[in-house]
């Protein structure tokens, strides 16, 4: 079976508020949007941001935030971590941890999106990232 | 900025129980594991399963399940949705919704992993998936 994730869908409360974070903060452009969902074409998968009541209806159960998961976005250099955290905060995010060197090396910080979904912004020199954003594990 | 997610990390309670679901159910092989985390090399990103107390310590806040998000894995044909749901259930998952045709077309069902993280198993003929599992949006 392919080791494949096709979509990560995040439950959100306000589509415009969420789009501001992802479009102005990260600088990402939706590939599709309507009044309840936006999809971003990512590195081999889709990121979806969907009104939480619709997601809960689809899943047939209530959902909590902040959930027991974390997303990460890697940047090409240590010096880019803190400026991106600050740009994301200016676009509606909330910094959880400013840039610092973690025990395992590299550089990272954490920010919550407007719906309290956590992103780690990381520089990890051991993980290769190609021009299409495809990330390969390394130690 | 690259439209790139480098890692999805899920908080888990028991590494062996989680590995059984992902290894026997999906048939995926970890690229790295130690006593607290397993990483799976996915389609251009990593899936990490990490003991939830460690994730919470790293995030510096408590986390809830089931969280307001959903992951999806796409299969090549409608006929593969239900058998995969059943294999995942036999490996410790819990079926939330059996295979059915959703309003927008295709075929899908939902299953929770042993830590109550939801996966949609989907057949979506509009979304192209290449040999490396890279998924491209289509309507």
């Amino acid at each position: 079976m392919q080791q494949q994730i096709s979509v990560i869908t995040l439950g959100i409360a306000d589509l415009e508020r969420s789009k501001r974070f992802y479009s102005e903060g990260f600088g990402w452009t939706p590939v599709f949007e309507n009044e309840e969902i936006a999809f971003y074409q990512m590195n081999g998968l889709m990121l979806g941001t969907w009104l939480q009541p619709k997601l809960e209806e689809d899943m047939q159960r209530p959902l909590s935030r902040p959930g027991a998961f974390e997303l990460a976005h890697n940047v090409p250099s240590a010096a880019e971590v803190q400026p991106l955290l600050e740009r994301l905060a200016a676009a509606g995010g909330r910094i959880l941890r400013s840039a610092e060197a973690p025990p395992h090396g590299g550089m990272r910080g954490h920010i919550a999106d407007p719906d309290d979904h956590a992103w780690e912004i990381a520089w990890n020199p051991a993980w290769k990232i190609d021009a299409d954003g495809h990330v390969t594990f390394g130690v």
Side-chain angles (χ1 to χ4, degrees), chain A residues 21-22 66 85 88-89 92-97 110-120:
Chain A
F21 178 83
Y22 289 99
L85 290 170
L88 289 164
R94 184 169 55 88
I95 292 176
L96 300 172
R97 184 200 286 258
H110 291 138
I111 189 157
D113 85 356
D115 294 284
D116 215 14
H117 301 302
W119 283 86
E120 178 179 71

Side-chain angles (χ1 to χ4, degrees), chain A residues 74 104 124-129 135-139:
Chain A
N74 280 27
H104 50 277
N124 179 345
W127 289 18
K128 282 182 294 190
I129 305 178
V135 178
T136 306
F137 185 83
V139 288

Side-chain angles (χ1 to χ4, degrees), chain A residues 25-38:
Chain A
F26 276 117
W28 298 343
T29 306
V31 66
F32 175 86
E33 54 185 304
N34 61 25
E35 71 288 354
E36 64 183 59
I37 198 166

Side-chain angles (χ1 to χ4, degrees), chain A residues 13-104:
Chain A
D14 180 322
L15 192 56
E16 288 307 314
R17 184 182 71 171
S18 173
K19 274 171 50 186
R20 182 168 164 253
F21 178 83
Y22 289 99
S23 296
E24 294 180 21
F26 276 117
W28 298 343
T29 306
V31 66
F32 175 86
E33 54 185 304
N34 61 25
E35 71 288 354
E36 64 183 59
I37 198 166
F39 280 114
Y40 302 83
Q41 173 69 56
M42 306 302 292
N43 47 318
L45 75 166
M46 232 59 62
L47 174 66
T49 52
W50 196 13
L51 294 179
Q52 186 162 330
K54 299 285 185 181
L55 179 61
E56 290 178 331
E57 185 185 325
D58 192 54
M59 304 298 297
Q60 300 178 312
R61 60 179 186 166
L63 302 170
S64 304
R65 291 181 285 179
F69 77 107
E70 175 192 23
L71 303 175
H73 172 83
N74 280 27
V75 293
S77 71
E80 290 172 69
V81 175
Q82 187 62 28
L84 178 53
L85 290 170
E86 289 169 12
R87 192 160 64 247
L88 289 164
R94 184 169 55 88
I95 292 176
L96 300 172
R97 184 200 286 258
S98 290
E100 64 175 14
H104 50 277

